[in-house]
């Protein structure tokens, strides 16, 4: 006799199977696939996405590959990579990234994300914070400090040791990360959009809640 095997029943999850901490922000929209919150005072946005399909993430294991992958994505929009890392949330490998892109008029937009991949679906938490008002103060103050100390050299044509991809000093495309965007300066500029993005990432990672069905999902194998 032939035995017929039934297709394995898909575990039912949805957008609300993952919960992020309440920042007290205004919820501006919610549908089947995303919830969006804004904080107008900080010009900041948080979005929780649910994708009911196989992730397009190339890997959640090879960090060097991910660094190259996101570096090229950022450069393709004339932006730059600030951080790429593999972290574990409730023992699930996740990809954390921060990239920046130049705004149309002046200043930078910082986009931080946490991708939580599974075999047949994924969640992405995206944070976007924009420079508004007078921009470039953090850059100018740190540049002056580092120039005075000799760490950064400035001549009529260039600034040496100021712009650099965080993982590949030979990479020269896009708008590269500059020294003022290092995390060690965040405490001096707590209202800067990059400092806000990093602070929100830390808060979300520390308090992210997965419902029981999430832990039953087949893992992302790449």
């Amino acid at each position: 006799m032939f035995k017929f095997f039934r297709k394995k029943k898909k575990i039912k999850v949805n957008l609300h199977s993952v919960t992020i901490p309440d920042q007290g922000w205004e919820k501006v929209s919610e549908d089947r696939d995303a919830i969006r919150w804004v904080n107008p005072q900080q010009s900041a946005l948080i979005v929780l996405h649910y994708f009911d399909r196989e992730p397009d993430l190339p890997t959640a294991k090879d960090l060097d590959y991910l660094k190259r992958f996101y570096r090229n994505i950022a450069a393709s929009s004339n932006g730059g990579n600030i951080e790429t890392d593999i972290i574990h949330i409730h023992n699930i490998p996740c990809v954390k990234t921060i990239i920046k892109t130049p705004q149309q008029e002046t200043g930078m937009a910082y986009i931080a994300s946490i991708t939580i991949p599974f075999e047949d679906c994924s969640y992405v938490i995206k944070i976007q914070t924009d420079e508004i008002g007078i921009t470039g103060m953090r850059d100018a103050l740190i540049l002056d400090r580092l120039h005075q100390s000799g760490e950064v050299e400035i001549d009529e044509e260039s600034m040496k040791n100021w712009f650099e991809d965080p993982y590949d000093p030979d990479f020269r495309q896009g708008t590269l990360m500059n020294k003022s965007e290092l995390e060690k300066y965040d405490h001096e500029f707590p209202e800067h959009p990059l400092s806000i993005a990093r602070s929100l990432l830390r808060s979300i990672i520390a308090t992210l809640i997965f419902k029981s069905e999430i832990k039953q999902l087949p893992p992302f194998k790449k």
Side-chain angles (χ1 to χ4, degrees), residues 30-72:
E30 178 177 347
D31 51 45
R32 178 181 173 275
D33 301 319
I35 307 174
R36 301 167 184 85
W37 298 266
V38 296
N39 184 340
Q41 286 74 33
Q42 294 179 324
S43 189
L45 168 75
I46 297 176
V47 187
L48 170 62
H49 293 278
Y50 169 60
F51 298 97
D52 188 17
R53 59 181 182 272
E54 181 181 349
D56 58 4
L57 189 71
T59 178
K61 297 178 181 178
D62 188 338
L63 182 56
D64 287 337
Y65 187 94
L66 285 169
K67 289 175 180 177
R68 294 192 298 271
F69 179 74
Y70 285 104
R71 175 189 305 136
N72 291 330

Side-chain angles (χ1 to χ4, degrees), residues 87-103:
I87 62 175
H88 287 76
I89 303 176
H90 302 302
N91 298 316
I92 295 172
C94 305
V95 177
K96 179 178 74 168
T97 64
I98 305 175
I99 64 174
K100 67 173 182 178
T101 57
Q103 298 184 112

Side-chain angles (χ1 to χ4, degrees), residues 16 19 75:
H16 295 281
T19 304

Side-chain angles (χ1 to χ4, degrees), residues 9-19 31-34 48-55 92 116-124 209-219:
K9 187 177 181 180
K10 187 176 181 180
I11 297 168
K12 290 185 178 180
V13 296
N14 57 46
L15 177 64
H16 295 281
S17 297
V18 168
T19 304
D31 51 45
R32 178 181 173 275
D33 301 319
L48 170 62
H49 293 278
Y50 169 60
F51 298 97
D52 188 17
R53 59 181 182 272
E54 181 181 349
I92 295 172
I116 310 164
F118 299 95
E119 184 177 69
D120 298 314
C121 68
S122 65
Y123 293 82
V124 178
I209 297 173
F210 293 163
K211 292 187 178 178
S212 58
E213 61 266 27
I214 286 288
K215 299 176 183 179
Q216 300 174 39
L217 287 171

Side-chain angles (χ1 to χ4, degrees), residues 170-185:
D170 296 323
F171 190 79
R172 285 289 175 261
Q173 299 176 39
T175 304
L176 296 170
M177 179 179 181
N178 67 60
K179 287 288 197 299
S180 77
E181 292 166 324
L182 292 170
E183 188 170 2
K184 66 181 181 180
Y185 297 119

Side-chain angles (χ1 to χ4, degrees), residues 142-196:
I142 299 302
L143 176 59
D144 182 66
R145 184 186 305 174
L146 297 183
H147 180 224
Q148 294 296 329
S149 70
E151 185 175 339
V152 173
E153 299 176 15
I154 303 175
D155 58 33
E156 293 181 357
E157 297 182 355
S158 65
M159 290 183 286
K160 186 177 180 181
N161 298 326
W162 176 245
F163 293 106
E164 187 174 276
D165 179 87
Y167 308 115
D168 183 356
D170 296 323
F171 190 79
R172 285 289 175 261
Q173 299 176 39
T175 304
L176 296 170
M177 179 179 181
N178 67 60
K179 287 288 197 299
S180 77
E181 292 166 324
L182 292 170
E183 188 170 2
K184 66 181 181 180
Y185 297 119
D186 284 359
H187 73 282
E188 297 184 50
F189 306 92
E191 299 304 316
H192 187 273
L194 179 55
S195 304
I196 292 169

